Amino acid sequence: MLLLAALVSTAAWSCGFAQEIPVQRPLSLTKSKGSVRLECRFNDISGDFDGATIHWYQQKANKAPERILYLAGTKVVDKGFQERRYRVEKFSSQKLCILTINDVTPDDTATYYCAYWYDHCDFIHSEGYYSRVFGSGTKLIVSDKGQSQPSNFEILQKKHKNQMMYVCLIEKFYPEVIRVTWTEGENQKVTENIVKGEAWRPTEEDKYSISSWLTVPEENKDKKYFCNYEHESGKGSRANEDSSQKEECIPSPGNSTVVFNRDHLYHRTAYLVYIVLLLKSSMYYLIVLFFIYRAWAPTKHRRKKA
């Protein structure tokens, strides 16, 4: 969701405190027909939640987001976006807002964002003004193709100088929307020294893969780090020590357990080493040809002069 970074940047600071991004569930939803429910939880809103104005935006591919309706108190206001198909509900005790879309069609395929307005404090002018805080987003895919959980989930590790690098590889899942996080132990979230790649798809396949890198000092090599993913198909977690021992997926309830042994890692490593050696030998071959040509070219030139 490339828009999310731009939207989040509009949510600045209120009286010196950052506003929390509303959490939307699920990350994505794949369905061919029927109704869908998109949840948005507003933990940051204090006071009278019933009186808060909640906005819902729809962003289609390669287009700007467009507001489809907003809920002012208990009144739904829209701009003719098929009112009979949209329904919004508030649950004050949970600070939860749910958007229901009835009778979905392929035209409903888009990313949906909830949002709210909050007061800024201007200490210089002693005036208030409003900024928007957008939710994390839910991507709706109206298609006959169902979601599929990752077929491979592993952590590769490598020591580099005085650091340890862990690469979390998650392969062949659909749709492409996935959230990858790292934790030290099972609960302590890690946010520094992490690089997350974009989900990519081989040209001949219709499933996606993604990787995330975590770098830690070598003295932390005995600590247990977990790579965690959240996807429409479920959740999974794997510890770094699994890469040197028996590898097994730790899925959430409802997921089947996927087991990989060390041979899978060895075969992959051997393949990568083979490719590197092949490239090096090709490079050496070209270098040798270059020097042979340089030695041969002047001789040929002298013969032509003679």
Side-chain angles (χ1 to χ4, degrees):
M1 302 177 183
L2 297 179
L3 172 71
L4 182 58
L7 294 179
V8 172
S9 66
T10 65
W13 296 79
S14 175
C15 300
F17 296 96
Q19 299 302 301
E20 185 177 340
I21 297 173
V23 178
Q24 294 185 235
R25 291 286 187 272
L27 289 175
S28 64
L29 189 58
T30 305
K31 199 164 185 178
S32 59
K33 59 183 178 181
S35 300
V36 297
R37 286 163 57 91
L38 312 181
E39 297 185 1
C40 183
R41 195 174 299 276
F42 297 84
N43 295 325
D44 193 55
I45 292 183
S46 59
D48 180 20
F49 182 71
D50 285 333
T53 301
I54 308 300
H55 307 254
W56 283 91
Y57 286 78
Q58 178 193 70
Q59 186 194 18
K60 295 188 176 182
N62 302 318
K63 292 185 178 180
E66 187 172 2
R67 187 171 67 181
I68 57 176
L69 56 84
Y70 64 92
L71 184 62
T74 58
K75 181 181 179 182
V76 178
V77 181
D78 64 19
K79 296 180 179 179
F81 275 82
Q82 305 175 31
E83 182 177 357
R84 66 176 183 82
R85 297 184 57 233
Y86 293 90
R87 181 163 58 92
V88 183
E89 301 171 273
K90 271 185 182 180
F91 300 89
S92 299
S93 60
Q94 305 175 52
K95 293 187 177 180
L96 178 67
C97 184
I98 297 180
L99 171 67
T100 301
I101 306 176
N102 298 311
D103 303 321
V104 294
T105 66
D107 190 55
D108 293 315
T109 296
T111 300
Y112 293 82
Y113 295 94
C114 59
Y116 74 99
W117 270 232
Y118 73 93
D119 254 329
H120 254 293
C121 294
D122 190 333
F123 294 108
I124 297 177
H125 302 95
S126 299
E127 296 178 351
Y129 59 97
Y130 292 95
S131 289
R132 290 171 288 181
V133 180
F134 285 81
S136 51
T138 293
K139 183 171 184 178
L140 173 62
I141 304 167
V142 182
S143 169
D144 292 330
K145 181 180 178 180
Q147 48 82 12
S148 58
Q149 67 182 47
S151 63
N152 183 32
F153 178 28
E154 61 184 333
I155 295 180
L156 310 177
Q157 64 181 38
K158 179 179 176 59
K159 178 183 176 183
H160 179 66
K161 296 182 179 180
N162 59 344
Q163 295 180 321
M164 291 295 298
M165 175 181 287
Y166 301 108
V167 181
C168 181
L169 181 62
I170 306 171
E171 296 182 293
K172 298 184 178 180
F173 54 87
Y174 182 85
E176 75 277 13
V177 184
I178 192 169
R179 178 177 292 139
V180 183
T181 58
W182 288 88
T183 57
E184 181 182 332
E186 296 184 2
N187 300 313
Q188 185 177 344
K189 190 173 182 179
V190 179
T191 57
E192 296 182 352
N193 300 317
I194 293 175
V195 178
K196 179 186 173 184
E198 296 288 336
W200 58 276
R201 181 181 64 179
T203 55
E204 297 181 357
E205 295 188 20
D206 55 1
K207 294 183 179 180
Y208 294 81
S209 298
I210 198 170
S211 55
S212 178
W213 294 263
L214 169 65
T215 304
V216 300
E218 185 182 0
E219 55 264 29
N220 292 351
K221 66 180 180 180
D222 294 327
K223 291 185 177 181
K224 183 181 287 189
Y225 293 95
F226 285 84
C227 176
N228 315 284
Y229 75 78
E230 181 182 350
H231 185 254
E232 182 178 332
S233 61
K235 299 179 181 180
S237 182
R238 185 182 298 282
N240 58 322
E241 64 180 14
D242 293 341
S243 60
S244 59
Q245 302 173 6
K246 180 180 178 181
E247 296 189 358
E248 61 179 343
C249 185
I250 310 172
S252 61
N255 287 350
S256 59
T257 300
V258 185
V259 178
F260 297 93
N261 56 35
R262 288 186 298 172
D263 290 339
H264 178 80
L265 177 58
Y266 292 157
H267 292 162
R268 175 167 296 201
T269 303
Y271 176 77
L272 292 175
V273 171
Y274 171 77
I275 294 297
V276 171
L277 292 176
L278 182 62
L279 291 174
K280 288 180 67 176
S281 62
S282 300
M283 186 179 300
Y284 291 148
Y285 178 73
L286 292 174
I287 291 174
V288 171
L289 286 179
F290 174 75
F291 281 107
I292 291 176
Y293 174 77
R294 288 195 61 182
W296 172 75
T299 304
K300 182 179 179 181
H301 187 65
R302 286 195 296 269
R303 286 178 180 175
K304 284 185 177 180
K305 281 189 173 182

